[in-house]
Amino acid sequence: MAALEHAVAARTAQAPYARVKEYLKQGLASGRWPPGALMPSEAELVNRFSVSRMTVTRALRELQSEGLVTRVQGLGTYAANLLRVSSTLTIRDLHEEILERGHRHHAEVHLAREETASAPVAAQLGLERGSRVFHTLIVHFENGLPLQCEDRHVNPACAPDYLQTDFTQITPTHYLLQVAPLWEAQYAIEAGAPTAREARLLGIAVEDPCLIIVRRTTNRGVPITSARLVHPGSRYRIEGQFKP
Amino acid sequence: MAALEHAVAARTAQAPYARVKEYLKQGLASGRWPPGALMPSEAELVNRFSVSRMTVTRALRELQSEGLVTRVQGLGTYAANLLRVSSTLTIRDLHEEILERGHRHHAEVHLAREETASAPVAAQLGLERGSRVFHTLIVHFENGLPLQCEDRHVNPACAPDYLQTDFTQITPTHYLLQVAPLWEAQYAIEAGAPTAREARLLGIAVEDPCLIIVRRTTNRGVPITSARLVHPGSRYRIEGQFKP
DNA sequence: CAGTGGTCTAGACCACTGA
DNA sequence: CAGTGGTCTAGACCACTGA
């Protein structure tokens, strides 16, 4: 009989855990449980919805991972402090991103060589000062217009064949993701002026504001690469949304 | 006996679901399952770890919600296409953010009044053109230095008492979160030049690059507010990290 | 058809908190 | 102590995919 009910629920609308989740979300949205308020316990929800505890737990755990509630063992579940809303920011391979917009992408390689690491570069990549590093400087175009100036240093130990890549065909991001599939990154997004060289490569004036992303990437703590990505402010922006 | 094992596991190290998750993460990090590869089925993992299927399911579901794997009913679990890594971007109440840095925050209110909505503002807020809207223009200071120029329009239906707020004490963001606790938002982050007025209010030159966030907020589809937040590029940046 | 993931149940033991 | 969340088990029915 229980099984029959599932089938019906699935056919008509939502899974039970989704119904519980929806109920709690509605209450949070309506202000019924203001930030910090104590929410119904698992046991209460089990009774109210006539479902098993595992089902309730799933709903609550998902709300927790979405940042909507805080759970404390022994105390209960609380409406989260909504002054911290978070969103998913996706940073993607530029080539893929441009193609998805239905536009053409091409790249100009201005530099691709081995160098001796300066002190800051060595520090970024966790290398000794004076170590060998790979350095590339590539300009990416969308429909023939310069979109990004990518100044990148790579730890040779992580990608020994990096410089053999044809960067007019494969972006460094794409190549490096293959070499070290899962990675962590720290990034900063800022507005600033381009350097004289960047302005020249991007075909803009040195006074033109740029959106600059500085990103350092590691794989299980080992530094792989650091990059400075400079975009003309008039041609690039980051969009996103919060979805509670 | 099973119960005893749990206790031991809990005491020694990780919960079983966490062990399964860790195993899969390691495999993804090492390249054992490159993007798109078929990963072990739930049944295989059940056997390998001698746990119940619910435990394996939890591990896989969490990896899925973190974007590390893709699951397709009837087919299996696949290593995600890691060209899309995502990160959590947190946008917070500026007052709270500044205090947390151990700095002082104060605000100057340059405008707080009811106006007739221009066409673009009305469109943003889903109102008729010519409707009444609330408009505030506030400059936020960190340790006495202008950090943000906040130009905001508010739908009066959502926050009738908005203009009664003392914005030198409570930020609009803070107030609005109380009125409509759970909300969705769309935002864009870009680099650009300030308007002449913004430059004057921020004490910068009109050529100085600014980090501009344009954000529109709704609650269950009803527009609440839209804001243009302008920051001197030299004083503000967004930082974050990817955590796979 | 066998294999896959999607979801649920009814029970269990546990650690934790505050009275 | 009663109440809370954290986690697990062993089973179940289901929809879906491809052979």
Side-chain angles (χ1 to χ4, degrees), chain B residues 28-163:
Chain B
L28 288 165
S30 72
R32 174 168 173 186
W33 300 296
L38 183 62
M39 300 184 59
S41 71
E42 295 190 349
E44 279 178 66
L45 293 168
V46 163
N47 289 332
R48 171 183 295 271
F49 287 91
S50 301
V51 295
S52 79
R53 195 179 150 213
M54 279 297 272
T55 300
V56 161
T57 298
R58 176 171 175 185
L60 288 168
R61 204 164 49 212
E62 294 192 0
L63 289 174
Q64 182 177 35
S65 82
E66 290 167 22
L68 292 178
V69 305
T70 307
R71 313 187 75 200
V72 185
Q73 198 177 36
L75 289 178
T77 300
Y78 298 88
N81 175 4
L82 283 164
L83 290 180
R84 289 193 184 188
V85 197
S86 69
S87 117
T88 298
L89 173 69
T90 304
I91 295 192
R92 309 179 48 190
D93 180 34
L94 191 61
H95 175 76
E96 200 190 42
E97 190 177 327
I98 290 174
L99 289 195
E100 207 163 275
R101 285 198 281 263
H103 292 173
R104 301 189 318 279
H105 167 245
H106 81 271
E108 273 178 10
V109 181
H110 289 271
L111 196 71
R113 67 180 185 200
E114 194 175 316
E115 292 179 355
T116 302
S118 66
V121 168
Q124 282 280 304
L125 295 178
L127 300 172
E128 304 277 314
R129 188 172 164 185
S131 305
R132 299 163 47 233
V133 291
F134 297 148
H135 183 191
T136 50
L137 179 63
I138 298 170
V139 180
H140 297 277
F141 293 76
E142 178 169 6
N143 280 355
L145 215 58
L147 181 65
Q148 180 186 92
C149 181
E150 176 190 14
D151 193 351
R152 181 180 295 278
H153 292 269
V154 175
N155 181 350
C158 296
D161 299 328
Y162 180 68
L163 292 179

Side-chain angles (χ1 to χ4, degrees), chain A residues 84-91 187-189 238-243, chain B residues 86-92 187-189 211 213 215 236-243:
Chain A
R84 290 193 183 188
V85 198
S86 68
S87 117
T88 298
L89 174 69
T90 305
I91 295 191
Y187 62 84
I189 301 169
I238 297 169
E239 292 177 348
Q241 56 183 325
F242 298 114
K243 31 159 194 195
Chain B
S86 69
S87 117
T88 298
L89 173 69
T90 304
I91 295 192
R92 309 179 48 190
Y187 62 85
I189 301 169
L211 190 69
I213 300 174
R215 198 159 70 199
Y236 189 81
R237 60 189 209 167
I238 297 169
E239 292 177 349
Q241 56 183 323
F242 299 114
K243 29 159 197 194

Side-chain angles (χ1 to χ4, degrees), chain A residues 28-31 82 85 242 244, chain B residues 121-127 132-136 150-162 172-186 215-227:
Chain A
L28 287 165
S30 71
L82 284 164
V85 198
F242 298 114
Chain B
V121 168
Q124 282 280 304
L125 295 178
L127 300 172
R132 299 163 47 233
V133 291
F134 297 148
H135 183 191
T136 50
E150 176 190 14
D151 193 351
R152 181 180 295 278
H153 292 269
V154 175
N155 181 350
C158 296
D161 299 328
Y162 180 68
T173 299
H174 190 99
Y175 174 78
L176 290 168
L177 275 165
Q178 292 185 319
V179 174
L182 189 65
W183 57 10
E184 316 94 46
Q186 301 94 46
R215 198 159 70 199
R216 182 171 166 275
T217 307
T218 57
N219 186 346
R220 289 184 281 181
V222 179
I224 300 174
T225 179
S226 74

